[in-house]
Amino acid sequence: MTAEQLMDLPDDGRRRELVDGELREKAPAGFRHGRVAARTARRLDESVESHELGAVAGAGTGFRLTRQPDTVRAPDVSFIAAHRLPSDEDELDGLLELAPDLVVEVVSPSDRATEVTEKALAWLTAGVVLVWVVYPRQRLVAVYAPGGAVTHVGEREELDGGDVLPGLRLPVADLFGQV
C-alpha cells in the first residue's frame, strides 16, 4: 500500500499506520491513554508557543518517513522545530515528509513491550532526536535518545527537553494528573 492509498481510506475512526507498505490497524485508545496524550500535548504546546520554538501536533498527525515502500507513522504527540516546518501552507494540509524532532508515544494496556521498543527505535532510525514513551499505569517515561540510550524518568522527576526543547523542564507527574 502507498501513503496516497492510506490517505484515501475512509475516516472510520480506526487508527492506522503504514510500515514498509503494510497497513497496520490498532484498536481505539482508552480514556486514560487519551487523557495522558492530551495533557502531554498541552504542556508541550504551552512551552513551545511561549518560546516560539516550532509546532506541536496531536494524535493522528501523519508523517511520511520513507517512500517505496512507504512508511507513515502517527505518534500520539509530536514536535517540529520552527526552522524545519514547511514554508508552503499547502504542505501543512497533508502528510509531512519529515521526521519530527520529538515524538511522544503513550502506551496502552494492549501494547506489547517489544512493539513499543521497536517503534521507539524506528522513530530514532527515521531521524527523530528524542522519543518519550509514556507509561500511564506505571507513571513513568522512558526517554530514548540517538544511539539507543534509554533513561527512565519517574513520577517525582522532570523531563528535560535537551537540545530539542531548550529550557523545558516538565514534571512527569503533570502528565498524569488524577487519571
Side-chain angles (χ1 to χ4, degrees):
M1 177 177 272
T2 66
E4 290 75 21
Q5 290 168 322
L6 172 66
M7 297 305 289
D8 285 341
L9 291 175
D11 184 3
D12 56 7
R14 292 184 178 153
R15 297 187 313 157
R16 298 181 176 107
E17 292 183 323
L18 193 60
V19 179
D20 293 329
E22 180 183 315
L23 184 66
R24 294 193 182 170
E25 291 190 6
K26 294 190 77 171
F31 180 80
R32 182 189 320 264
H33 178 282
R35 183 74 176 124
V36 169
R39 289 176 68 86
T40 303
R42 185 174 71 242
R43 297 298 194 283
L44 286 176
D45 197 45
E46 289 167 353
S47 179
V48 165
E49 289 220 351
S50 70
H51 295 96
E52 298 178 358
L53 296 174
V56 172
T61 303
F63 296 90
R64 186 189 318 226
L65 303 174
T66 63
R67 286 182 172 269
Q68 299 179 348
D70 291 356
T71 294
V72 176
R73 293 280 196 177
D76 293 310
V77 182
S78 57
F79 162 74
I80 302 102
H83 70 277
R84 298 186 60 237
L85 286 167
S87 56
D88 181 349
E89 283 289 317
D90 291 337
E91 288 183 57
L92 298 175
D93 291 329
L95 298 170
L96 290 185
E97 295 209 31
L98 55 78
D101 296 282
L102 167 71
V103 160
V104 180
E105 295 286 0
V106 180
V107 177
S108 295
S110 62
D111 289 335
R112 293 195 314 233
T114 55
E115 290 173 350
V116 171
T117 301
E118 236 175 58
K119 193 170 190 180
L121 295 175
W123 278 117
L124 292 175
T125 300
V128 172
V129 180
L130 195 58
V131 178
W132 293 347
V133 177
V134 181
Y135 292 86
R137 286 185 173 266
Q138 294 81 6
R139 300 176 75 87
L140 68 88
V141 179
V143 178
Y144 289 76
V150 182
T151 307
H152 292 90
V153 183
E155 182 177 20
R156 293 189 177 103
E157 299 173 281
E158 291 182 322
L159 290 164
D160 180 340
D163 294 337
V164 176
L165 291 164
L168 176 72
R169 303 293 298 174
L170 178 59
V172 171
D174 285 0
L175 306 181
F176 306 112
Q178 298 302 314
V179 176

